[in-house]
Amino acid sequence: MKSSLFGAYLESATSGERFVLQNERLLRITLGDEVMARQGSMVAYQGGVEFDFQGSGGVGRFLKKALTGEGLPLMRCRGSGELFLARDAREIFLILLEGESITVNGDNLLAFDSTIEWDIRRVEGVSMLAGGMFNTVLRGTGWVAISSFGTPVVLQTDVPTFADIQSAIAWSSDLQTTVNRTMKMGALVGRGSGEAVQLAFSGQGFVVVQASEGPSVPPHNHGS
């Protein structure tokens, strides 16, 4: 049997790293140590892999999830073999933390090493009315995989930096955040939120901005 599928699309050779991009939209993880992954993100696996529902990890995080709406449904993946993860054909990017911390929008978090500590934190400076008030902070040593709806840009914050609240998907946790309002008569600023409100970043670090506010629900009705 002949096909281009059996060329460029064959499973990539083992590189020695646990987290490897099979392609720009598919993540391959070589299991050994446990991995935390978004529920529903598994598309395939080889070998002996077990999946367990992972709760919020304590009363504090459970209450934060309930009150903030920051959704981070996780599953604990263990065993031996190869695990393939994806999220709505979004582009995937890998970050290796080495005792550092990063803030990630919960909707864009795909997987991370179970050795990494995580918590839901309030985004400083963002009011309840602005939306996107809480995100997930990850700290420690290990791999983190994030997804982006559209190819992102990484902005260095050595100058005043502003981003649409739904488009900023990750940033250095040490950055200070405030709200910037640019409402003017007749002006619509931002990617369709209808609000002239941006997240302002200051300090030394970076901000990852996706090329969208995320997937939208097309107009529909449920019939009579």
Side-chain angles (χ1 to χ4, degrees):
M1 186 179 296
K2 295 181 180 180
S3 171
S4 60
L5 281 171
F6 306 130
Y9 300 104
L10 280 175
E11 180 182 357
S12 57
T14 302
S15 65
E17 296 286 0
R18 290 202 331 117
F19 280 51
V20 176
L21 291 182
Q22 174 67 32
N23 57 55
E24 64 183 11
R25 295 179 174 86
L26 193 61
L27 170 64
R28 187 186 74 181
I29 301 175
T30 301
L31 289 177
D33 295 335
E34 294 181 349
V35 168
M36 308 297 293
R38 171 175 288 276
Q39 292 177 25
S41 63
M42 184 277 293
V43 296
Y45 66 89
Q46 294 180 305
V49 183
E50 297 180 359
F51 303 92
D52 295 319
F53 169 76
Q54 172 66 27
S56 56
V59 175
R61 281 196 295 224
F62 174 79
L63 291 175
K64 288 179 184 178
K65 289 176 70 174
L67 293 173
T68 66
E70 173 69 352
L72 188 57
L74 294 174
M75 59 183 179
R76 186 178 294 271
C77 311
R78 60 166 62 91
S80 61
E82 306 291 325
L83 174 63
F84 294 85
L85 305 177
R87 178 87 192 281
D88 300 329
R90 299 184 189 187
E91 296 183 41
I92 300 172
F93 298 89
L94 300 180
I95 301 169
L96 178 60
L97 296 182
E98 297 176 302
E100 300 137 320
S101 176
I102 187 171
T103 298
V104 181
N105 186 326
D107 184 62
N108 298 90
L109 186 57
L110 181 65
F112 56 94
D113 274 317
S114 62
T115 54
I116 293 178
E117 298 179 359
W118 65 278
D119 197 4
I120 297 172
R121 300 281 180 85
R122 181 179 182 273
V123 179
E124 296 297 330
V126 183
S127 69
M128 289 291 290
L129 296 178
M133 180 178 171
F134 292 83
N135 279 313
T136 303
V137 177
L138 302 106
R139 184 184 305 276
T141 298
W143 287 102
V144 176
I146 64 174
S147 66
S148 174
F149 196 82
T151 303
V153 61
V154 179
L155 304 176
Q156 299 295 326
T157 56
D158 47 357
V159 296
T161 302
F162 308 87
D164 184 275
I165 291 176
Q166 280 75 41
S167 298
I169 64 174
W171 59 86
S172 305
S173 295
D174 292 336
L175 292 179
Q176 290 77 52
T177 57
T178 57
V179 167
N180 183 60
R181 291 180 172 82
T182 55
M183 180 61 72
K184 295 180 180 179
M185 293 299 295
L188 177 61
V189 180
R191 293 278 305 153
S193 65
E195 299 178 44
V197 176
Q198 303 90 45
L199 199 55
F201 300 90
S202 60
Q204 293 298 313
F206 64 88
V207 180
V208 183
V209 181
Q210 66 183 4
S212 170
E213 287 189 329
S216 59
V217 178
H220 65 284
N221 62 62
H222 297 285
S224 59

